[in-house]
Amino acid sequence: MTNPDAIDDVSIGGESIRLGQFVKFAGLLDSGGTGKEAIVDGLVSVNGEVDRRRGRQLQLGDIVGFDGRSARVCP
């Protein structure tokens, strides 16, 4: 059984990444199209706040959440 409060650290290999790219890269969603829909529908949060901009630039340390899972942007 996994801990629903656990945050996965996801290394992006740089300083920033767009929200739409990160949800797919982190494995929170299966495809870019599904990610786009989830973001626009307000199902994705960044640092605890809903953000509907898939082009939002995430920075190191940001935490993205979807469907009870969370991933932290790491270098």
Side-chain angles (χ1 to χ4, degrees), residues 19-65:
L19 178 58
Q21 295 170 314
F22 185 76
V23 293
K24 182 179 175 192
F25 185 73
L28 295 174
L29 291 151
D30 295 333
S31 72
T34 305
K36 177 182 177 181
E37 290 177 19
I39 293 167
V40 170
D41 290 344
L43 302 175
V44 176
S45 66
V46 178
N47 299 325
E49 302 280 331
V50 171
D51 196 323
R52 297 175 189 257
R53 301 171 295 159
R54 69 185 172 110
R56 175 186 174 153
Q57 286 289 330
L58 300 176
Q59 304 299 319
L60 299 179
D62 283 344
I63 298 174
V64 177

Side-chain angles (χ1 to χ4, degrees), residues 1-34:
M1 182 172 178
T2 59
N3 180 354
D5 296 325
I7 299 173
D8 296 325
D9 288 334
V10 178
S11 177
I12 60 169
E15 295 291 318
S16 67
I17 189 170
R18 295 189 192 283
L19 178 58
Q21 295 170 314
F22 185 76
V23 293
K24 182 179 175 192
F25 185 73
L28 295 174
L29 291 151
D30 295 333
S31 72
T34 305

